[in-house]
Amino acid sequence: MLRGGIAINEILVDPNGATSFDTDGNGTSAATDEFIELVNTTGAPISIAGLQFWDRGVGQWFTIPSGAVLGPGGHALIIIGVQPGGSLPTMPAGSLAFDAGRGSAVITNTGDNVVVYDPTANSYIVARFNGAALDNPTIGAAGYSGFSSTATRIGAGENFGNDVDGFSIQRAPDGSNVFVNNETPTPGTFNVCFTAGTRIETPSGPVMIEALRPGDLVLTRDHGAQPVVWVWSQSHTPAAFVQDQRLCPVRIARNALGNGLPSRDLLLSQQHRVLVASRIAERMFGASEVLVAAKNLTGLAGVDVVLPEQVVTYLHLLFGAHEIVFAEGAPSESLYLGPQALRAMDAPALSELALLLGVGTSTLPQSAHQPARLFAAGKLARKLVERHAKNHKALWAAPQFA
């Protein structure tokens, strides 16, 4: 890793086909929406000023400006080129976003290398994908003219695997050595949580989530009554929702999931997963119960992304394990310490969580519990929902408690 903790974390490649991703939010997906993301894997701030990005077909294409510092666990997003009407994604505290200002793609979708060079230490890291051979930029050939001939590569060079249109290649969790290519790109701030006003089932009946405190018991699908370990909240204004609509909640109307669930309208963040239990799920995934992000449920009648006109407070519930809890009667997940949840937290929250778990902030990604269920993501998740809607089947056809 560069500078003691900087790694290439995520790559969005120029699409090969029709499916793509609108990184800058201007309403049009284009080749310049591709991006590179770095991550600070340590528990201390690291300066990333002066780091250079190189490509064998383009040469040096971006340098991080002076004064740039990533906070503990922070991310640096470099978009190839923000289009007219677009903007850089909103980043949480300790993270940064940059516009490389280019008008055409840099990353070759048939296979390429991403090289990040530190001129201060005369060292570099490299990631490759889609079967590309590992580049040696120090020989100065194939677009690397001007690259230091004496630079030292850190590590063996990482193979990120193959990209899939509409998804990025990303570490899961951040900073790990595991790469996935079936997740929606994750630039900017994401929240995986409930909203204030949601009623959570407890042994004594439904309780507003904002009233829960560490030590309070909550009913879970798998393990009965379990104590809350940690509660964390974050509020967003109407202006924030307009600026970055990925923050907007998903409204699941009463009975939209079938069988009377939820018992009243439920607001969740877009990435918050809801349990689907059905024969369709078993046929598609080989598991009778899977977790699906709320944003992938919008193919159902009564499920929509809404643009709030008032402040919305998101709340996270952490337990000793990844649990299935009941929000307005609907089975949904507790906080899972995956990449999207961790990147949504600012430095003080990460420090508090690390202290609570007895680990360093740099090892938080390795502290994630095992998922309570299989995560159904992307096209397959949407197909699952589509099949339920087409066949008029409820998403929840199982008893509530184990």
Side-chain angles (χ1 to χ4, degrees), residues 79-252:
I79 299 180
I80 299 304
V82 173
Q83 303 165 73
S87 60
L88 291 170
T90 301
M91 304 294 283
S95 294
L96 303 167
F98 304 96
D99 176 10
R102 303 189 65 88
S104 59
V106 170
I107 309 169
T108 304
N109 56 26
T110 54
D112 207 346
N113 284 234
V114 174
V115 176
V116 185
Y117 172 62
D118 179 5
T120 304
N122 197 27
S123 58
Y124 69 96
I125 53 177
V126 58
R128 59 190 177 95
F129 58 88
N130 285 358
L134 187 67
D135 284 353
N136 179 4
T138 64
I139 63 176
Y144 292 111
S145 176
F147 196 92
S148 171
S149 61
T150 59
T152 301
R153 185 182 69 212
I154 297 177
E158 294 184 292
N159 185 356
F160 270 48
N162 298 319
D163 85 291
V164 176
D165 281 352
F167 303 119
S168 62
I169 315 172
Q170 55 185 273
R171 299 179 190 268
D174 289 354
S176 74
N177 293 320
V178 178
F179 303 96
V180 297
N181 63 357
N182 62 351
E183 291 286 342
T184 301
T186 58
T189 301
F190 286 79
N191 297 280
V192 187
C193 39
F194 300 99
T195 60
T198 300
R199 297 181 302 182
I200 304 296
E201 198 66 38
T202 76
S204 57
V207 173
M208 293 290 187
I209 187 171
E210 59 267 37
L212 292 172
R213 298 291 183 269
D216 290 348
L217 294 178
V218 168
L219 289 178
T220 71
R221 164 86 171 133
D222 301 324
H223 303 113
Q226 291 294 313
V228 173
V229 173
W230 189 56
V231 181
W232 181 62
S233 64
Q234 186 177 50
S235 297
H236 297 288
T237 65
F241 293 123
V242 171
Q243 182 179 7
D244 189 348
Q245 294 193 15
R246 294 168 301 171
L247 294 173
C248 293
V250 174
R251 180 182 58 208
I252 303 176

Side-chain angles (χ1 to χ4, degrees), residues 320-347:
H322 188 220
E323 299 284 4
I324 306 297
V325 300
F326 297 90
E328 306 298 348
S332 52
E333 68 173 345
S334 67
L335 177 61
Y336 175 70
L337 298 181
Q340 292 170 343
L342 290 176
R343 78 175 64 232
M345 298 181 192
D346 57 19

